[in-house]
Coordinates of all heavy atoms in Angstrom, one line a residue:
V12 N -18.4 -96.3 52.4 CA -18.5 -95.4 51.2 C -19.9 -95.4 50.7 O -20.5 -96.4 50.6 CB -17.4 -95.7 50.2 CG1 -17.6 -97.1 49.6 CG2 -17.4 -94.7 49.1
D13 N -20.4 -94.2 50.3 CA -21.6 -94.0 49.5 C -21.1 -93.7 48.1 O -20.3 -92.7 47.9 CB -22.5 -92.9 50.0 CG -23.2 -93.3 51.3 OD1 -23.5 -94.5 51.5 OD2 -23.4 -92.4 52.2
I14 N -21.6 -94.3 47.1 CA -21.2 -94.1 45.7 C -22.3 -93.5 44.9 O -23.4 -94.0 44.9 CB -20.8 -95.5 45.1 CG1 -19.7 -96.1 45.9 CG2 -20.4 -95.3 43.6 CD1 -19.5 -97.6 45.6
D15 N -22.0 -92.3 44.3 CA -23.0 -91.6 43.5 C -23.0 -92.0 42.0 O -24.0 -91.9 41.4 CB -22.7 -90.1 43.6 CG -22.8 -89.6 45.1 OD1 -23.7 -90.1 45.8 OD2 -21.9 -88.8 45.4
D16 N -21.9 -92.4 41.5 CA -21.7 -92.8 40.1 C -21.0 -94.1 40.0 O -19.7 -94.1 39.9 CB -21.0 -91.7 39.4 CG -20.9 -91.9 37.9 OD1 -21.0 -93.1 37.4 OD2 -20.6 -90.9 37.2
P17 N -21.7 -95.2 40.0 CA -21.0 -96.5 40.0 C -20.1 -96.7 38.8 O -19.0 -97.4 38.9 CB -22.1 -97.5 39.9 CG -23.3 -96.8 40.5 CD -23.1 -95.4 40.1
E18 N -20.4 -96.2 37.6 CA -19.5 -96.4 36.4 C -18.2 -95.7 36.6 O -17.1 -96.2 36.4 CB -20.2 -95.9 35.2 CG -21.3 -96.8 34.7 CD -20.9 -98.3 34.5 OE1 -19.9 -98.5 33.8 OE2 -21.5 -99.2 35.1
Q19 N -18.2 -94.4 37.1 CA -17.0 -93.7 37.4 C -16.2 -94.3 38.5 O -15.0 -94.4 38.5 CB -17.3 -92.2 37.7 CG -16.1 -91.4 38.1 CD -15.1 -91.1 36.9 OE1 -15.6 -91.2 35.8 NE2 -13.9 -90.9 37.2
Y20 N -16.9 -94.9 39.5 CA -16.3 -95.5 40.7 C -15.5 -96.7 40.2 O -14.4 -97.0 40.8 CB -17.3 -95.9 41.7 CG -16.8 -96.3 43.0 CD1 -16.4 -95.3 44.0 CD2 -16.5 -97.6 43.4 CE1 -15.9 -95.7 45.2 CE2 -16.0 -98.0 44.6 CZ -15.7 -97.0 45.5 OH -15.2 -97.4 46.8
K21 N -15.9 -97.4 39.1 CA -15.1 -98.5 38.6 C -13.7 -98.1 38.2 O -12.8 -98.9 38.3 CB -15.9 -99.2 37.4 CG -17.1 -100.0 37.9 CD -17.9 -100.5 36.7 CE -19.2 -101.2 37.1 NZ -20.0 -101.6 36.0
K22 N -13.6 -96.9 37.7 CA -12.2 -96.4 37.4 C -11.3 -96.3 38.6 O -10.1 -96.6 38.5 CB -12.4 -95.0 36.7 CG -13.1 -95.1 35.3 CD -13.2 -93.7 34.7 CE -14.1 -93.8 33.4 NZ -14.3 -92.5 32.9
Y23 N -11.9 -95.9 39.7 CA -11.2 -95.9 41.0 C -10.7 -97.3 41.4 O -9.6 -97.5 41.7 CB -12.0 -95.2 42.1 CG -11.6 -95.6 43.5 CD1 -10.4 -95.1 44.0 CD2 -12.3 -96.5 44.2 CE1 -10.0 -95.4 45.3 CE2 -11.9 -96.8 45.5 CZ -10.7 -96.3 46.0 OH -10.3 -96.6 47.3
I24 N -11.7 -98.3 41.3 CA -11.3 -99.6 41.6 C -10.2 -100.1 40.7 O -9.2 -100.8 41.2 CB -12.6 -100.5 41.5 CG1 -13.6 -100.2 42.6 CG2 -12.2 -102.0 41.6 CD1 -14.9 -100.9 42.5
S54 N -23.4 -97.1 52.2 CA -23.9 -98.2 51.4 C -22.9 -99.3 51.1 O -23.4 -100.4 50.7 CB -24.6 -97.7 50.1 OG -23.6 -97.0 49.4
R55 N -21.6 -99.1 51.2 CA -20.6 -100.1 50.9 C -19.6 -100.1 52.0 O -19.1 -99.0 52.4 CB -20.0 -99.8 49.5 CG -19.0 -100.9 49.0 CD -18.6 -100.6 47.6 NE -17.5 -101.4 47.2 CZ -17.6 -102.6 46.7 NH1 -18.8 -103.2 46.5 NH2 -16.6 -103.3 46.3
L82 N -10.0 -90.1 41.4 CA -11.1 -90.7 40.6 C -12.3 -91.0 41.5 O -13.4 -90.9 41.1 CB -10.6 -92.0 40.0 CG -9.5 -91.8 39.0 CD1 -8.9 -93.2 38.6 CD2 -9.9 -91.1 37.8
R83 N -12.0 -91.3 42.8 CA -13.1 -91.6 43.7 C -13.8 -90.4 44.3 O -15.1 -90.4 44.4 CB -12.6 -92.5 44.9 CG -13.6 -92.9 45.8 CD -13.0 -93.5 47.1 NE -12.6 -92.4 48.0 CZ -11.5 -92.4 48.7 NH1 -10.7 -93.4 48.6 NH2 -11.2 -91.3 49.4
A84 N -13.1 -89.4 44.7 CA -13.6 -88.3 45.5 C -14.8 -87.6 44.8 O -15.8 -87.3 45.5 CB -12.5 -87.3 45.8
P85 N -14.8 -87.3 43.5 CA -15.9 -86.6 42.9 C -17.2 -87.4 42.8 O -18.3 -86.8 42.7 CB -15.4 -86.3 41.5 CG -14.0 -86.5 41.5 CD -13.7 -87.5 42.5
V86 N -17.2 -88.7 43.0 CA -18.4 -89.5 42.8 C -18.7 -90.3 44.0 O -19.6 -91.2 43.9 CB -18.2 -90.5 41.5 CG1 -18.0 -89.6 40.3 CG2 -17.1 -91.4 41.7
S87 N -18.1 -90.0 45.1 CA -18.5 -90.8 46.3 C -18.1 -90.0 47.6 O -17.4 -89.0 47.5 CB -17.7 -92.1 46.4 OG -16.3 -91.8 46.5
T88 N -18.6 -90.5 48.7 CA -18.3 -89.9 50.0 C -17.8 -91.1 50.9 O -18.5 -92.1 51.0 CB -19.6 -89.3 50.7 OG1 -20.1 -88.3 49.8 CG2 -19.2 -88.7 52.0

Side-chain angles (χ1 to χ4, degrees):
V12 62
D13 287 329
I14 301 164
D15 301 320
D16 182 343
E18 286 306 308
Q19 177 67 26
Y20 193 84
K21 288 177 184 176
K22 295 177 184 175
Y23 159 72
I24 293 173
S54 61
R55 184 173 170 85
L82 298 172
R83 183 193 76 221
V86 298
S87 67
T88 304

